[in-house]
Every structure is written in C-alpha cells, then in structure tokens.
Amino acid sequence: MKKHNFSAGPCVLPKSVMEQAAAAVLNFDDGLSLLEISHRSKPFVDVMENARSLALELLGLEGKGYKALFLQGGASTQFLMVALNLLEKRAGYLNTGTWADKAIKEAKIYDDIYEIGSSKSANYNYIPKGYDIPEDYDYFHCTSNNTIFGTQMKSFPNSPIPMVCDMSSDIFSRQLDFSKFDLIYAGAQKNMGPAGTTLVVIKEDILGKVSRKIPSMMNYKEHISKGSMFNTPPVFAVYVSMLTLEWLKNLGGIKAIEKENEKKARLIYSEIDLNPLFKGYSVKEDRSIMNATFTLENENLKETFESMVKEAGINGINGHRSVGGYRASMYNALSLDSVKALVEVMSELESKA
Amino acid sequence: MKKHNFSAGPCVLPKSVMEQAAAAVLNFDDGLSLLEISHRSKPFVDVMENARSLALELLGLEGKGYKALFLQGGASTQFLMVALNLLEKRAGYLNTGTWADKAIKEAKIYDDIYEIGSSKSANYNYIPKGYDIPEDYDYFHCTSNNTIFGTQMKSFPNSPIPMVCDMSSDIFSRQLDFSKFDLIYAGAQKNMGPAGTTLVVIKEDILGKVSRKIPSMMNYKEHISKGSMFNTPPVFAVYVSMLTLEWLKNLGGIKAIEKENEKKARLIYSEIDLNPLFKGYSVKEDRSIMNATFTLENENLKETFESMVKEAGINGINGHRSVGGYRASMYNALSLDSVKALVEVMSELESKA
Ligand SMILES: Cc1ncc(COP(=O)(O)O)c(C=O)c1O
Ligand SMILES: Cc1ncc(COP(=O)(O)O)c(C=O)c1O
Ligand SMILES: [Mg+2]
Ligand SMILES: [Mg+2]
Ligand SMILES: [Mg+2]
Ligand SMILES: [Mg+2]
C-alpha cells in the first residue's frame, strides 16, 4: 500500500532522490561509497559547490552579495549563531511560536532582546501585525512559518535594519522577494533533505560588525572563507540536499512547486472548513500552506478517525502536544494524492457519523 | 578491481554496513525511508538508544556514571563545548598536533589556557612526556591520536583533575582503561560512521561547575537531559554509526579489532623501516597504529611510485600538506589485504629502483 507521510520533519523526500541517495551509498565515485570518500576530494567539493549555488539560484539571490552555507547543528544552533554574529546591543524579535520563543531565549544570553510583537497569549494561533521595527536595533528576527501552530507570515515588513528569518519549515515552498532578507536559515529536514545539515544564506556585508570574539565554528565569516568546509561537513546530508534542490529546479523551481503547494493547501483547508466534524486551529488569514493544524469537534470520534487514517496508509498527522488535535504537514515532496487520501478519510468520517 | 581506501577520514566503513545503510534509505520501517521518518518515532528512538548504549558497552563504561551523546558539529565544535562547559579559570592542554593546537585556540576565547607540553617546534613528530598536571586547573586536555602527524599517545597520565581527550582518530581501535577519562569526544568519520555526528562520552559528575550561562545547544547537561535529542539529531549518521558499532561488537569488540590493527601497523611500519626507499616521519615509540606517515628518500621516484599506487587501486595516501609525503590511514574497517596491497607496491618499487 502507498504510504502517505505527513510527518512534520524529518519528512517525505522525492522518491527519485531516495533512490539516488541509496545508490550513492553503494557506489558514488569509481567504486567508492559516498560515505567513504574524502570531503576534500574533487567529486565532493563539486557537490558542495553545486548545492550552494543551487540554493542561491532557486532563491533568486545569485550575484546579489549573498553566500550560502551548509552547516551542522540544526536550526537550533542558528538561534545562537545569529546572536553571536550580529547582536551588539539590542535586537527585536517577533514571537510567533515555540521556535521563535526558543530563538529569543538563546539570544538573551548574549544581550538585550525586545519582543516587537507576540501572539504567545493566544497560544500562537495568529501572526502579530502592525508592529514597528526600531531603526537603532542591530537586527529584526522573524519566523516565516510556525511549524507547530500552522501559521505563516504572508507578508514581511520593510525592515530598516537587517532582517533575519528562520525559514526552516517553508523555505523553497513559495515565491518571495528573498532579497528583503539579510540572513535566512533553515534546517534541511523539511523541504530540502534529511536531518543533519542547515542551510544559511547570508548577505555578507552585515557581518563583522560586533565586538565580541566569535568561536570559529560559530563564525559565519570563518565558514564563508572556507567555502562551507571549515571542518568536515555532513557529506551525506549535503549530497541529498543537493539532489533535492536539483529535483526542484528540474520541476520548474519555486514558482512551479508553489502552485502545487497551494493546491494541496486549498484542498485540506476547504475540507476542514466545510466538514462540520473538523475545526481549523489558526486564524484563516495566517494559515500555513505547509502545516495545516486542526481538531475534531467531537472527541468521541477520535478512535474511529485515527483507525481510518491508519488503514488508509496515512502517517504522521498527530498534532504537537502544545496544540493537540492533528497536523498535516504538506512539504514540497508530499504529493497532491496524499492530501486527497487524507481528505477522503475526513469526508468518509462525516458520512459515517 | 578492489579499491583500497586509505583515506584519513571520512574513510572506509564495513561493506555490510554500507549495504544496510543503502537498504534503509529505501525502506527502513514499514515502507518508509530512514530519511523520512520522524526522529521521535519509536524505531528511531530505539536506534539512538542502541547507539548510545553500544558506545558505552564497547568502551567498558556502562554503569560507571557516564553518558553517551551523538551530537552535530564535528570534533571542532567540541573544542569550544569543552571550554564552555568546563573552563572556569584555567585549563592545561597538551599540544601534540594541528587539532590539539586548534582546540587550544578555541578554548582561549573563554579563559586562560596553559600548554602543559608541546612538540610544535619539532613539527609534532613526537609526543611530549614527563609533564606535570597542576592540581588546581579545571581540566587537562589531550589528543590520543594525531591524525595528521601519525603519532599516538601510548600511555596516559593519572590526572589529578578531569581528563578530556579528543579520540577522533583512534576511538574503538585499541584497549584502554577508558574510565581514566572524564570526557571523550570523537567525530564519527573515522572508526564509527559517516561524517555528520560526533560521539561525546561524559562522566556526568564533572558538569555543572562553571558559572557562565551556556547556550542550550552547547550545553552537555541539556543534551543529556533530552536523551541526545534536544533538537533534530542527524538521523542517518547516527543510524550508520549504530550499525558500525554493532559490526564491531559482533567481531569481538575492541579487543578483537586491536589485534587486527596491530597486524596492519606492524606490516606497514616494517616495510617503511626495512625498505631503503622510505622513511617514517614520527619517532618510533610514538607511532600511530591508525595513521602511518612516511616519505620517499628520493623524490625522483615520486611519479613512478604514485602511478604504481594508482594502478593497484590504492587511494587516499597523500600526506597532509603540513607533513608532506604519504599517510596510510588504517582505520578499523580497512582490511589487512589493503595494507598488503600497499606494502607490495612499496617493495615492488624497491626491486625496480
Ligand atoms: C521553524 C523551526 N525552527 C527551528 C526548528 C528546530 O530545528 P532543529 O531541530 O534542526 O534544530 C524547527 C524544527 O522543527 C522549526 O520547525
Ligand atoms: C584528532 C582530530 N580532532 C579533530 C578533528 C576535526 O574533526 P571535525 O572535522 O569533525 O571537526 C579531526 C579531523 O580529522 C581529527 O583528526
Ligand atoms: Mg512553531
Ligand atoms: Mg469544519
Ligand atoms: Mg593532528
Ligand atoms: Mg626505510
């Protein structure tokens, strides 16, 4: 039976990518496995360079002063690297969810953080709007898509100071003017590849302005100067990310995938809205096209619904404990067919009930 | 033709491990790839727990107050995590090579570092001995095997303070009383798995003694309290490390592999010594059983030797630029046959010359 994997991340990747990855583990270059080649060998240096330039190309940031890095440590390490590299006196953060909140907590170790807006008191079911970004702050930090709560920023401010964005759960999923951002970071394990690497895209001219000494592994400048190979990179994760970016490019890039993502989102949200058994969690205008969060109106149907879901080969739709209910994560590689399968189960439940 | 991969890391892994890894990329659990499952799913939590306990078991450290972690960031990130978590006033470091030197450089950002001994002026061709470790320092840091220079500590001091050791290039290769150490770290990409994860083994009671605030991702206590899953772990690299540790256990553990490693080392070093065309780089008593470094006595033979090497399917023996010549890295998964192949080429060169 076909599996429909709605996991919130790590998550489904294109089948062709999985096949190429498995083949490379057996034989990547001249009889050697991808896992045993030197990271300084030409074939891998080419992979790294290809991945870095594909990332910039797909975001439309080539030749605009940006550098792409594939680092280790997950997006969680970026919470602290951003502060270490950019925070001199004070920064402004938009608190739109658990991850934004953690980013704030880590940055506070280094200096003063001001919450420019927050939806914490509403358990993050909406995106704050109408906030001002002070001109004398070091940077503004926001989270484009709130994986846990299923909200997404539909527009971004014209920030008078460098704008940093955690795009872990929606990078490469929709067209944006990415040149509005000065630093973008994203764990690979949603739209880009397996867990184990993090993409960081930086406008180089924002660096070098803080007075603290930055440890080498935490220093963006150091990584840039070494071509994202300051130390041994996570070879496999970078390779699979490169394959996924190639897949996306061949598909027609962000423009093409955005259409697919919108179709999937329209399908699930219209079912959530029209089906009286289900209720959406986040406010309509801020709904994420990546993570749809919803609950059952009648908890008595829980068992029936979940066994029907299981029977349909659907996996990974349990909501995060801080929201409850369900979360359907529909990243780039999830097919429209998978969403159709879920929606069918939801409407079947309605006929039964 | 069979490839003989002497790469210094990433490096050769057991063939059976590669095959299991490739299969898991296609189907790990119930039709889902290892790359698309949630890291919070039972199958992966089991992998992580299995890898952590195998590491302690193989080192003989079970039930002795140690915890094993599989982190991201490479051994280079440990250079700074060690200092952040343990350095309050002053620490002593043994400077035995490029990596030790880098560990010192990163720790200096946080406080005072004293070089207890150094072989830097001899381009690290020996291990300093007869040094004293001051009782009032926070910890003592050493590097068990110097990958670049081919030297290895054959004995360790009875340190009056916590002893921290970078075992990146010889962990699991020889029997030691590992309980002498309070913190051991090692990038996976030599004896343990692919690049992308780092094993850290810590005696828990040395933690919590510094006054600084430690960022979550840099905090060993935080990682321990979350079972090495504070954030999304590098799933694939941890899985392959687990497979490699299982392979080693089935082989008979460190005791069994040590015998193999000694055979390989004896073979290459006796060729280096007896063959008048080659000269060992490091002093005999400190020779590494993992990385044998040597040079050609007559540079005119370079081209001939290297083309013979290539013809024999041997790869990865170019020395690091700071030593020159050749380096044969003979990690656990490299077979005796591969060393025989190299030694044959060396002796063939002698007959020709
Ligand atoms: C928006 C966002 N930021 C940060 C993270 C943390 O990522 P990591 O586990 O790679 O540290 C996540 C993980 O799901 C996320 O969704
Ligand atoms: C002894 C030693 N320590 C540290 C490192 C750095 O490891 P990483 O590249 O994982 O940061 C190496 C890499 O070869 C090494 O051999
Ligand atoms: Mg969130
Ligand atoms: Mg409804
Ligand atoms: Mg060294
Ligand atoms: Mg000789």
Side-chain angles (χ1 to χ4, degrees), chain A residues 3 5 10-11 18 25 30 33 36-37 39 72-73 76-77 105-106 110 189 195-196 215-217 231-233 236, chain B residues 3 5 10-11 18 25 30 33 36-37 39 72-73 76-77 105-106 110 189 195-196 215-217 231-233 236:
Chain A
K3 288 276 164 185
N5 184 11
C11 64
M18 305 282 199
V25 170
D30 195 20
S33 162
E36 64 177 321
I37 55 158
H39 58 291
Q72 290 188 65
S76 299
T77 297
K105 181 183 160 234
E106 298 304 322
Y110 295 101
Q189 68 270 14
S216 305
M217 280 299 291
N231 73 329
T232 318
F236 180 80
Chain B
K3 287 274 163 187
N5 184 10
C11 64
M18 306 283 201
V25 170
D30 197 20
S33 161
E36 65 176 321
I37 55 158
H39 58 291
Q72 290 188 64
S76 299
T77 297
K105 180 181 161 236
E106 297 304 321
Y110 294 101
Q189 67 270 14
S216 304
M217 280 299 292
N231 73 330
T232 318
F236 179 80

Side-chain angles (χ1 to χ4, degrees), chain B residues 256-308:
Chain B
I257 206 79
E258 181 179 38
K259 276 195 198 135
E260 286 304 301
N261 289 332
E262 279 172 354
K263 271 189 225 162
K264 293 184 280 175
R266 262 199 306 273
L267 188 59
I268 185 112
Y269 284 120
S270 74
E271 182 64 27
I272 290 171
D273 289 338
L274 297 175
N275 188 326
L277 303 181
F278 295 96
K279 197 171 105 184
Y281 174 77
S282 53
V283 306
K284 284 192 183 177
E285 64 180 10
D286 299 329
R287 279 173 167 176
S288 165
I289 61 165
M290 293 279 102
N291 315 93
T293 44
F294 55 98
T295 50
L296 267 173
E297 295 276 12
N298 178 350
E299 275 296 304
N300 291 337
L301 294 171
K302 186 174 148 70
E303 224 172 285
T304 318
F305 178 56
E306 291 180 9
S307 81
M308 286 166 70

Side-chain angles (χ1 to χ4, degrees), chain A residues 96-100 143 145-150:
Chain A
T96 55
T98 305
W99 300 113
T143 310
N145 186 73
N146 300 284
T147 327
I148 292 175
F149 302 94

